[in-house]
Amino acid sequence: MTVDPELLAAALDQLGTGLLVTSADGTVVAANQATRDLLGEQATGKKVGDTVAAMAAEDSGRWSPRPGLVVEWSWSGPLLPGTPHEGRCLVLRDVSHRIADRARLRRQNRALAELVAMKAEFTAAVSHELRTPVTSIAAMSELLGEEVTEPDPLAAPVAAVARNAQRLLGLIDNVTELARIENAAPTGTGEKVQLEGVVAEALPGWTGAAKAAAVHLTAHADPDATVQGERVLLRRLVDAMIGIGLAAAEPGALLTVGVTATGGGWRVTVPIGGRGGDRLFTSSPLTGDGVRHDSTALMLCRAIVARHGGRLTTDTDPEGATVLAAHLPG
């Protein structure tokens, strides 16, 4: 089938990529509109080396014909080799926007890194400034609580001050830990951590809080559940999830910390359906170790799970109950 040369030329002119065809001696025999726009001149009939010498000598390269314009070019292999029509094809692409986008992305990344560093510095400074006075308030209110007891009318206010001071200390700890996790450099694969052992280690610290909340706290963990990670952070994850579960649990409820296999990884769960999703942002009871988890616990869980390459979700267990689930890669 014979192709109309004018039709072919019109089609090539629609391309955004420049195409330039030369004869065996380097004379330009055809060039589409994109090529003429990039070179800024009528190239047909000239030697390609007369336009850009480097294009005749190299196989590919990058060239800036004028300020603000960058062109990448490359030669094809021989066209119709061994015939009187032997030649080559030069492909030209305007990469100015791509280079500008990369430069803009680098600037945005630098600005983002500066913002993250500023946030970390601000968090550290505020946490430090708050911790000292709040620790003093907590200590003094505890001492006052030993001296001021019922039926003294100051007993209830002193107890409230002590309770809220402890709550603030827990909040400061969580915010500080969250900032540390977000800004810490990756530690590689970490160590092999057995999740059953982490859960068993965490459970006794919550026994008193569970008893005070009239909640039955148990665990069911697969003994083969092992992940690569940081044991200290995984323990913090389990503690935070138990605290969230206790805050959401109804009196008399069974709160089971589960560790089960799922999709090549492991799923750590606690039920949260007792008093609804709003309880996810309610302070948990205080443990025997003085650990309390508030609304920042959910953020802490998400950060720890993300650092281990996983995701935090709310799922439904086989019994239809809503659970908070940490999906961790195996």
Side-chain angles (χ1 to χ4, degrees), residues 52-166:
V52 183
M55 286 186 182
E58 303 290 339
D59 291 331
S60 63
R62 182 177 285 181
W63 172 57
S64 179
R66 55 184 178 272
L69 177 63
V70 180
V71 177
E72 283 185 351
W73 54 269
S74 61
W75 285 104
S76 70
L79 303 175
L80 303 175
T83 71
H85 303 291
E86 180 176 346
R88 289 199 301 171
C89 179
L90 180 67
V91 179
L92 304 103
R93 297 181 178 86
D94 182 355
V95 296
S96 307
H97 291 297
R98 191 173 71 193
I99 292 174
D101 288 343
R102 287 177 178 172
R104 183 166 54 252
L105 184 60
R106 285 195 296 269
R107 290 194 299 270
Q108 290 173 345
N109 286 340
R110 283 196 298 269
L112 182 60
E114 291 172 1
L115 184 62
V116 170
M118 186 184 303
K119 186 183 79 170
E121 292 172 3
F122 176 78
T123 301
V126 171
S127 297
H128 175 74
E129 293 299 328
L130 284 175
R131 185 182 299 278
T132 301
V134 173
T135 300
S136 299
I137 292 170
M140 293 301 297
S141 58
E142 185 176 348
L143 290 174
L144 282 173
E146 295 175 358
E147 299 294 330
V148 181
T149 57
E150 297 291 351
D152 192 314
L154 291 177
V158 169
V161 170
R163 183 171 61 252
N164 284 291
Q166 289 297 331

Side-chain angles (χ1 to χ4, degrees), residues 291-307:
V291 176
R292 182 193 295 276
H293 287 283
D294 52 30
S295 57
T296 57
L298 198 61
M299 299 167 61
L300 189 62
C301 289
R302 185 179 293 112
I304 294 173
V305 172
R307 185 170 176 82

Side-chain angles (χ1 to χ4, degrees), residues 183-200:
N183 293 287
T187 57
T189 57
E191 59 179 316
K192 284 188 175 181
V193 181
Q194 187 184 37
L195 293 177
E196 182 187 35
V198 173
V199 173

Side-chain angles (χ1 to χ4, degrees), residues 2-326:
T2 303
V3 179
D4 186 335
E6 292 186 5
L7 178 62
L8 180 59
L12 292 176
D13 281 344
Q14 298 301 310
L15 294 176
T17 299
L19 294 175
L20 181 148
V21 180
T22 70
S23 60
D25 66 356
T27 301
V28 178
V29 297
N32 68 349
Q33 185 61 47
T35 298
R36 293 191 291 273
D37 292 341
L38 291 173
L39 296 181
E41 59 184 44
Q42 179 65 37
T44 306
K46 296 183 178 181
K47 298 280 188 179
V48 69
D50 294 340
T51 302
V52 183
M55 286 186 182
E58 303 290 339
D59 291 331
S60 63
R62 182 177 285 181
W63 172 57
S64 179
R66 55 184 178 272
L69 177 63
V70 180
V71 177
E72 283 185 351
W73 54 269
S74 61
W75 285 104
S76 70
L79 303 175
L80 303 175
T83 71
H85 303 291
E86 180 176 346
R88 289 199 301 171
C89 179
L90 180 67
V91 179
L92 304 103
R93 297 181 178 86
D94 182 355
V95 296
S96 307
H97 291 297
R98 191 173 71 193
I99 292 174
D101 288 343
R102 287 177 178 172
R104 183 166 54 252
L105 184 60
R106 285 195 296 269
R107 290 194 299 270
Q108 290 173 345
N109 286 340
R110 283 196 298 269
L112 182 60
E114 291 172 1
L115 184 62
V116 170
M118 186 184 303
K119 186 183 79 170
E121 292 172 3
F122 176 78
T123 301
V126 171
S127 297
H128 175 74
E129 293 299 328
L130 284 175
R131 185 182 299 278
T132 301
V134 173
T135 300
S136 299
I137 292 170
M140 293 301 297
S141 58
E142 185 176 348
L143 290 174
L144 282 173
E146 295 175 358
E147 299 294 330
V148 181
T149 57
E150 297 291 351
D152 192 314
L154 291 177
V158 169
V161 170
R163 183 171 61 252
N164 284 291
Q166 289 297 331
R167 181 178 179 180
L168 284 174
L169 285 174
L171 174 63
I172 293 168
D173 287 340
N174 279 351
V175 170
T176 303
E177 183 68 8
L178 185 61
R180 188 190 70 80
I181 293 170
E182 288 180 342
N183 293 287
T187 57
T189 57
E191 59 179 316
K192 284 188 175 181
V193 181
Q194 187 184 37
L195 293 177
E196 182 187 35
V198 173
V199 173
E201 183 182 284
L203 228 58
W206 291 93
T207 302
K211 185 176 180 180
V215 172
H216 302 275
L217 182 60
T218 63
H220 179 72
D222 190 318
D224 295 326
T226 303
V227 298
Q228 293 288 136
E230 301 173 56
R231 185 180 181 87
V232 172
L233 287 183
L234 290 169
R235 166 63 192 277
R236 192 78 183 258
L237 170 66
V238 172
D239 276 329
M241 292 182 70
I242 294 174
I244 291 169
L246 276 178
E250 292 278 9
L254 176 65
L255 181 68
T256 301
V257 184
V259 181
T260 55
T262 175
W266 300 98
R267 181 171 171 261
V268 182
T269 60
V270 294
I272 56 171
R275 285 184 272 184
D278 58 316
R279 300 295 295 183
L280 293 179
F281 303 98
T282 302
S283 293
S284 70
L286 194 68
T287 70
D289 298 330
V291 176
R292 182 193 295 276
H293 287 283
D294 52 30
S295 57
T296 57
L298 198 61
M299 299 167 61
L300 189 62
C301 289
R302 185 179 293 112
I304 294 173
V305 172
R307 185 170 176 82
H308 287 80
R311 57 194 177 89
L312 188 72
T313 64
T314 53
D315 297 340
T316 303
D317 68 9
E319 287 74 36
T322 303
V323 297
L324 182 65

